[in-house]
């Protein structure tokens, strides 16, 4: 039997002379109907280009197919080679027989058209439906992807929906014409873990119902373990390895696949937490940071005179302490208030209430004991300054002279974070993403701080780079006795680096304790939900529950004081907020 | 680029008096002559050499434009930067004043200012500068506001960098690129405005030469002496074109999207 | 609060600012109005007569009181008396405004009629010969001052074809539409070309940007025909900057195209203001400048409303 899709020796190039700028080299793969193929690779591996070449969207991005064939079995049984198809023929295949979902749901929908218009047009173009028929069909499509209140949502513009909702709309659009093949290009990368689990659950469920072939492109090899039948690993435009899921994961043949599998932080329910720090051995002298009842609220203003009508309760009564050489992982999803809490500790936003005590460091008498490394190394380095100027800034700010000693310190720190010594006169854009993040780390250490706030510091890096930066952070912590406040949404990363973990939901800590305890025996239902959503290589072919709950609004009227649920202790140094009949928070 | 270079050379030559003839000296015997070897672009109604007048004219127009745009860029940058950084009342005041200035068509505002101070070269500089200040203020304030929330500013605040250090090293340095683009484009517009004002007799005063003035003089003679009209018209077009092209090239060069493909 | 509504509230504030600015500016003009009005005859006035005149025009009071009188008048629709025309300012403005309005509308029609299709066409055939040609024409069009275009047009017509454009006394549209259009077509073309160049440039670059957007890729992945992608998905987004530009340009045109009116000897609003400034006709300058600024802001408001119609992000943004 001929497979649904058969790609042979596909070569794609970009630019005015595509032969000279070839990004895809002889990629071949097959996909049966109803099967899921995962294409895995790091950024620049050509995995997206492969996907876009299949439905020839690559033509619009300045690419050209240089050779090979893409044989696709159409609904009527005829086989057509998409690599040589005319644009007019392709228009009949795209949408109707091949659907596609993209990475960024926020920008993938036309901002000036309503959701309804964008779904209806598929029905009208491909099925020749009338306006009212199309409307009913669109409504049904939204219901299929579990969007509540579908009738009303059809009249919404994209910016009125959350990212997760929009991705569901995208799925509805892609599946509207009942395609034989669905291509999903990193559909969950921009989303939170729990939302990711929902989207994946939805996709696999829809696929089971419709028997669609699915190509799922991702950088996260752990994610596809849950549902793919076959895996294709790509690197620099070459398919280095492919085969059945279990074969590739358990018995990788190619060195790069092995490297990738090793580098991916794998979540193992708290079995691989660090054990190099024991709280009971530390005394109060070693306490680097104590936060007590931290509360941050932002005013909500409305009306003609912009009077305050309420508050956004971003952070509500957060308390914890942090010892030298210890890492506290702050876990939470977007909008949970974890970054706001970090910013308050960094003195970037004014807390409404609560106290933050930092112990002065003994060494060098630095006056700024808390320093930070942010998520995006591109944005946190001024692109117009050289490395010398960047590293000198903290010293200048503290009134130090930039003398031989200062230069010596810069040199040794650069060396310490693993950057070449000739970096000093270079500009940030001359470095790779991982190197830039190392630069940020070096800069944050210039003032010999005692506490480092790492706000999603490794989230924007490719997995293999991520692993190296994490190793560096652990080494630096041991060497300088640094205390880390590691803010992240990534369970697997936090398991690698944290000694203790605090889970934040809707502005409050719902569970806090030793990393091993929290991850292995989560007590709060939200923590459990988070953990169950984490993809992992060890979780094969599992069910992802489809849950449509939304995060509660944090906007409250003036004078509203939250009633925080009481703490419940669960053994030594592990407590969580009590819950009323399983309801979250 | 070439056009700009030729313009600048012409202007500098004119400043140092390196011209074939004195642009002001009249020669009654050689009135309204067509282009010839002696007078490359011919002569005008008073027998003055057109090439020499053109050279001083370009020099005059460029001087006015450069000074005016320079002043506007400086004022606009200071206002835009402080407005963005301090926000609140100061931001509101500055931006409302700029709104008021922007509510006038440019040429009208220039006319009003010239009416106050009397026509002349310096007044045109002032008029053009005031017309362009709000534009520069906006050009600076927008990016400055978005830069203010960039992470490297946060990083600087965590180090405890002073406000002045942040403004100079982080904000201004990153605003140079959009400013340069705006300056070149504004130069093109300033040339146009200056020519327009002179054309109305409100800029450079006769007997001195400026492109607008030469056009005004040529207007009634276009049927007898078309070169009088065509030469300065072409010179003006080319100058403006030069700055527009330069501005576009700069914009392409500095656009992060195009730069990414280069890098 | 709805965005256009917010703009509406800023409106009176800026209008007030404009009136203060104009009032102060015009009083900084050296020389006094009486001399300017009567010219050499003013030398014949006795001091007493001069005082009487000053009192008649309210010039003997202090600035703040003058301003207050003027402002209360403005609110009641009384812009004062023009010294040069000897007529109420409002009537002077309203007799000259139709010409300016007609000119502005004609130029905009020309600009959008040529500019939009050309811009979209060029964007769709990026880097083709046609695109290159359009870009060169745009560059030249943008670099040529209006009055130079006007002069060259007259030059080509009169020298090249021996036709003199119909000048002489201006005929309003209502009296003789054909003759009126004959008079207006050249100035409108003059103003329209530079305007069109700007429209082409903006619509081309907006279209190019939008064709790279993710949602256009989505539309293509849905198998939507090329024409529909352009017209239904790209164009509404590309229109937003074009609307902004057209609004600003139209607003400026309503302020009178001083230079072009001068060249074509048209009695539009621009020339009224120019003459009023030169003649120090306080009331007329104040009145007409205020009128122009008012128009400009009304246009801006309309642009905002057009935005809201085009872009749901603004329409529904309640904060």
């Amino acid at each position: 039997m001929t497979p649904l899709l058969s790609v042979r020796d596909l070569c794609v190039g970009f630019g005015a002379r595509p032969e000279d700028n070839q990004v895809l080299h002889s990629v071949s793969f097959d996909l049966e109907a109803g099967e899921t193929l995962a294409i895995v690779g790091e950024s620049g591996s050509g995995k997206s280009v492969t996907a876009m070449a299949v439905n020839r969207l690559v033509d619009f991005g300045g690419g050209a197919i240089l050779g090979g064939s893409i044989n696709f079995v159409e609904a009527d049984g005829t086989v057509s080679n998409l690599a040589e198809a005319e644009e007019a023929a392709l228009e009949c295949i795209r949408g109707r027989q091949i659907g596609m979902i993209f990475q960024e749901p926020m920008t993938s929908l036309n901002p000036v058209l309503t959701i309804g218009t964008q779904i209806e047009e598929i029905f009208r173009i491909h099925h020749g439906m009338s306006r009212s028929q199309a409307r009913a069909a669109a409504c049904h499509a939204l219901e299929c992807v579990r969007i509540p209140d579908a009738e009303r949502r059809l009249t919404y513009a994209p910016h009125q929906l959350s990212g997760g909702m929009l991705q569901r709309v995208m799925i509805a659009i892609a599946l509207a014409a009942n395609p034989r093949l669905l291509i999903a290009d990193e559909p969950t990368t921009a989303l939170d873990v729990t939302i990711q689990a929902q989207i994946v659950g939805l996709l696999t469920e829809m696929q089971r119902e419709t028997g669609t072939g699915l190509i799922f492109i991702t950088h996260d090899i752990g994610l596809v373990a849950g549902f793919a039948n076959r895996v294709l690993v790509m690197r620099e435009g070459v398919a280095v390895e492919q085969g059945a899921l279990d074969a590739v994961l358990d018995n990788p043949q190619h060195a790069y696949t092995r490297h990738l599998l090793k580098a991916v932080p794998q979540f193992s329910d708290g079995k691989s937490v660090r054990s190099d720090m024991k709280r009971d051995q530390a005394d109060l002298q070693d306490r680097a940071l104590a936060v007590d009842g931290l509360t941050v609220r932002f005013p909500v203003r409305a009306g003609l005179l912009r009077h305050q009508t309420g508050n956004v309760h971003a952070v509500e009564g957060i308390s914890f302490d942090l010892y030298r050489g210890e890492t506290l992982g702050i876990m939470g999803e977007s909008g949970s208030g974890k970054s706001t809490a970090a910013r308050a500790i960094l003195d970037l936003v004014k807390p409404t209430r609560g106290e933050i005590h930092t112990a002065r460091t003994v060494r060098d008498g630095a006056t700024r004991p808390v320093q930070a490394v942010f998520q995006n190394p591109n944005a946190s380095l001024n692109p117009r300054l050289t490395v010398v100027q960047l590293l000198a800034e903290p010293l200048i700010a503290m009134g130090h002279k930039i003398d031989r000693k200062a230069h010596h310190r810069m040199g040794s720190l650069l060396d310490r974070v693993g950057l070449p010594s000739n970096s000093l006169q270079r500009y940030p854009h001359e470095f790779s993403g991982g190197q830039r993040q190392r630069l940020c780390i070096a800069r944050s250490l210039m003032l010999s701080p005692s506490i480092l706030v790492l706000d999603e510091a490794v989230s924007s890096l490719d997995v293999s780079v991520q692993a190296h930066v994490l190793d560096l952070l652990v080494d630096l912590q041991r060497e300088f006795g640094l205390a880390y406040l590691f803010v992240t949404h990534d369970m697997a990363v936090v398991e690698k680096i944290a000694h203790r973990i605090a889970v934040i939901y809707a502005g409050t800590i719902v569970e806090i304790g030793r990393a091993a305890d929290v991850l292995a025996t989560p007590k709060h239902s939200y923590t459990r939900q988070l953990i169950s959503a984490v993809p992992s290589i060890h979780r094969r072919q599992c069910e992802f529950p489809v849950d449509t709950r939304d995060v509660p609004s944090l906007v409250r009227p003036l004078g509203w004081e939250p009633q925080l649920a009481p703490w419940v202790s669960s053994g030594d140094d592990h407590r969580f907020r009590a819950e009323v009949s399983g309801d979250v928070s | 680029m070439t056009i700009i270079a030729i313009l600048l050379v012409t202007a500098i030559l004119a400043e140092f008096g390196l011209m074939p003839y004195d642009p002001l000296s009249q020669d009654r015997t050689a009135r309204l002559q067509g282009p010839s070897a002696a007078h490359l672009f011919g002569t005008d109604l008073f027998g003055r050499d057109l090439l020499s007048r053109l050279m001083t004219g370009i020099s005059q127009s460029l001087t006015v434009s450069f000074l005016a745009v320079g002043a506007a860029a400086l004022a606009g940058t200071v206002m835009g930067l402080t407005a963005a950084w301090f926000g609140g009342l100061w931001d509101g005041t500055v931006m409302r004043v700029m709104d008021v200035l922007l509510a006038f068509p440019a040429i009208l505002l220039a006319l009003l200012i010239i009416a106050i101070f009397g026509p002349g070269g310096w007044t045109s500089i002032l008029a053009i500068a005031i017309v362009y200040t709000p534009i520069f203020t906006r050009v600076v304030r927008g990016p400055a506001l978005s830069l203010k929330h960039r992470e490297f500013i946060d990083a600087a605040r965590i180090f405890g960098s002073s406000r002045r250090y942040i403004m100079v090293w982080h904000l201004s340095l990153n605003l140079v690129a959009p400013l340069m683009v705006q300056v070149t484009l504004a130069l093109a517009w300033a040339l146009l405005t200056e020519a327009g004002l002179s054309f109305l007799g409100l800029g450079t005063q006769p007997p001195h030469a400026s492109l607008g003035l030469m056009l005004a003089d040529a207007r009634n003679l276009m049927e007898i002496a078309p070169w009088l009209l065509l030469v300065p018209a072409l010179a003006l077009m080319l100058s403006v074109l030069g700055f527009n092209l330069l501005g576009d090239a700069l914009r392409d060069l500095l656009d992060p999207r195009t730069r990414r493909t280069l890098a | 609060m709805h965005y256009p509504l917010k703009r509406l509230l800023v409106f009176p504030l800026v209008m007030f600012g404009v009136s203060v600015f104009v009032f102060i500016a015009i009083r900084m003009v050296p020389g006094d109005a009486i001399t300017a009005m009567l010219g050499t005859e003013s030398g014949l006035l006795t001091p007493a007569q001069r005082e009487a005149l000053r009192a008649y025009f309210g010039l003997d009071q202090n600035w703040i009181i003058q301003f207050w009188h003027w402002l209360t008048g403005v609110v009641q629709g009384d812009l004062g008396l023009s010294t040069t025309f000897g007529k109420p300012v409002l009537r002077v403005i309203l007799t000259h405004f139709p010409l300016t309005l007609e000119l502005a509308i004609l130029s905009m029609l020309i600009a959008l009629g040529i500019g939009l299709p050309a811009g979209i066409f060029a964007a769709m055939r990026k880097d083709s010969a046609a695109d290159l040609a359009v870009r060169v024409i745009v560059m030249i069009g943008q670099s040529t001052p209006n009055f130079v275009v006007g002069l060259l047009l007259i030059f080509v017509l009169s020298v090249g074809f021996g036709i003199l454009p119909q000048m002489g006394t201006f005929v309003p549209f209502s009296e003789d539409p054909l003759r009126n259009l004959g008079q207006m077509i050249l100035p409108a073309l003059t103003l329209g070309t530079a305007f069109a160049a700007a429209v082409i440039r903006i619509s081309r670059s907006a279209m190019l940007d939008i064709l790279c957007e993710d949602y256009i890729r989505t539309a293509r992945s849905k198998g939507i025909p090329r024409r529909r992608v352009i017209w239904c998905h790209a164009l509404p987004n590309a229109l937003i900057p074009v609307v902004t530009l057209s609004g600003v340009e139209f607003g400026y045109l309503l302020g009178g195209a001083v230079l072009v009116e001068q060249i074509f000897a048209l009695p539009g609003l621009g020339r009224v203001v120019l003459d009023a400034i030169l003649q120090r006709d306080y009331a007329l300058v104040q009145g007409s400048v205020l009128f122009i600024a008012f128009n400009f802001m009304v246009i801006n408001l309309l642009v905002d409303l057009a935005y809201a119609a085009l872009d749901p992000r603004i329409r529904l943004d309640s904060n």
Side-chain angles (χ1 to χ4, degrees), chain B residues 96 99-109 111-118 130 185 189 192 195-197 199-200 202 212 215-216 219 222-223 226 229-230 233-234 236-238 240-245 248 251-252 257, chain C residues 10 13-14 17-18 21-22 24-26 28-30 139-140 142-145 147-148 151-152 154-155 158-159 164 201 209 249 251-252 255-256 258-259 262-265 270 273-274 277-278 280 285 288-289 292-293 296-297:
Chain B
R96 286 297 86 73
D99 277 351
V100 168
L101 288 180
L102 279 174
F104 296 95
I107 195 94
L108 190 67
L109 186 57
L111 285 179
L112 209 58
I113 294 159
I114 286 168
I116 299 172
F117 298 101
I130 292 181
L185 295 179
W189 285 100
L192 292 182
L197 290 176
F199 184 81
L200 289 176
L202 297 170
L215 284 169
R219 195 176 147 204
M222 63 169 80
E223 280 167 67
L229 177 75
L230 294 180
L234 212 61
L236 185 60
M237 275 167 67
L238 282 178
V240 178
L241 184 68
F243 283 112
N244 272 333
L245 285 176
D248 273 11
R251 197 204 309 254
D252 285 348
R257 266 176 300 184
Chain C
V10 186
L13 203 76
V14 175
V18 167
F21 179 83
V22 171
I24 294 175
I26 200 71
M28 283 165 70
V29 177
M139 213 61 216
I140 294 173
Q142 281 219 308
S143 304
T144 317
F147 63 97
V148 173
L151 286 175
L152 291 178
I154 297 177
F155 172 74
S158 62
V159 178
L164 256 182
R201 186 194 170 103
D209 282 351
E249 291 273 343
Y252 281 152
V258 183
L259 284 156
Q262 182 86 1
I263 290 171
F264 291 98
V273 179
L274 179 64
I277 289 177
L278 296 177
R280 291 197 192 83
V285 175
S288 44
V289 168
I292 289 168
F296 190 69
M297 295 195 55

Side-chain angles (χ1 to χ4, degrees), chain C:
Chain C
M1 197 186 336
H2 284 276
Y3 178 70
L5 197 71
K6 207 151 81 187
R7 296 301 304 244
L8 201 61
L9 287 169
V10 186
F11 196 96
L13 203 76
V14 175
M15 281 312 291
F16 182 77
V18 167
S19 48
V20 172
F21 179 83
V22 171
F23 191 85
I24 294 175
I26 200 71
R27 266 151 192 80
M28 283 165 70
V29 177
D32 77 314
I34 307 293
T35 317
M37 178 171 57
L38 298 178
T40 44
E41 288 172 42
S42 64
L44 304 172
L45 291 174
T46 63
Q49 281 174 316
R50 191 174 263 274
E51 275 315 302
L53 270 176
R54 285 176 64 82
Y56 177 72
F57 285 110
L59 295 171
D60 53 347
Q61 283 152 322
N62 95 23
W63 284 15
I64 295 171
I65 294 173
Q66 283 187 43
F67 181 68
W68 175 247
H69 279 287
W70 178 66
L71 200 66
T72 46
V74 169
V75 175
Q76 293 157 17
D78 173 17
L79 294 174
L81 213 59
S82 158
T83 49
T84 43
F85 287 84
K87 284 191 276 187
V89 167
L90 195 62
R91 200 187 305 158
V92 176
I93 293 174
L94 289 182
T95 41
H96 293 274
F97 182 61
L99 185 146
T100 299
L101 184 66
E102 188 191 343
L103 193 58
I105 292 175
L106 279 178
S107 328
M108 187 153 97
L109 287 181
I110 292 173
L112 291 179
I114 299 173
L116 262 183
I120 295 167
F121 177 82
M124 284 167 64
R125 287 174 181 66
K126 186 175 185 287
D127 296 329
S128 68
D131 178 35
L132 205 69
V134 167
R135 279 159 71 188
V136 169
I137 293 170
V138 166
M139 213 61 216
I140 294 173
Q142 281 219 308
S143 304
T144 317
N146 277 332
F147 63 97
V148 173
V149 175
L151 286 175
L152 291 178
L153 268 178
I154 297 177
F155 172 74
V156 169
L157 284 183
S158 62
V159 178
F161 298 94
I163 323 163
L164 256 182
Q166 299 176 26
M167 294 228 195
T169 2
F170 170 71
V171 186
F173 186 77
S174 50
E175 281 176 24
D176 186 349
L178 267 182
R179 215 176 123 70
N180 167 280
L181 281 180
Q183 282 181 328
M184 296 295 268
I185 190 70
L186 274 187
L189 259 177
T190 303
L191 290 170
T193 44
F195 190 172
V199 171
I200 295 179
R201 186 194 170 103
I202 288 261
S203 54
R204 177 180 174 273
S205 71
M207 206 66 187
L208 279 181
D209 282 351
I210 284 158
L211 287 179
C212 296
E213 289 284 348
D214 286 351
Y215 53 82
I216 295 300
R217 191 177 60 180
T218 308
R220 284 180 175 140
S221 81
K222 283 152 73 174
I224 290 169
R226 184 185 162 85
R227 290 168 67 92
R228 194 180 152 84
V229 171
I230 301 284
W231 293 106
C232 298
H233 286 262
L235 195 61
N237 286 289
L239 275 181
I240 295 170
V242 175
V243 166
T244 319
L245 174 90
S246 307
V248 171
E249 291 273 343
F250 190 71
Y252 281 152
L253 285 179
L254 281 190
V258 183
L259 284 156
V260 172
E261 285 172 10
Q262 182 86 1
I263 290 171
F264 291 98
L266 291 172
L269 207 53
R271 286 198 44 210
V272 169
V273 179
L274 179 64
D275 290 342
I277 289 177
L278 296 177
Q279 304 291 325
R280 291 197 192 83
D281 189 341
Y282 283 6
L284 187 53
V285 175
Q286 274 165 200
S288 44
V289 168
L290 201 66
F291 182 77
I292 289 168
F294 179 78
N295 279 335
F296 190 69
M297 295 195 55
V298 168
I299 298 294
N300 271 336
L301 207 68
L302 290 178
V303 168
D304 287 340
L305 289 176
Y307 265 175
L310 278 172
D311 193 341
R313 279 169 295 188
I314 290 170
R315 180 167 59 221
L316 298 156
D317 195 1
S318 52
N319 238 326

Side-chain angles (χ1 to χ4, degrees), chain B residues 7 16 56 66 74 89 128 147 156 191 226 248:
Chain B
L7 276 180
F16 289 103
T56 41
F66 272 116
L74 193 70
L89 194 62
I128 296 172
L147 280 173
L191 275 174
D248 273 11

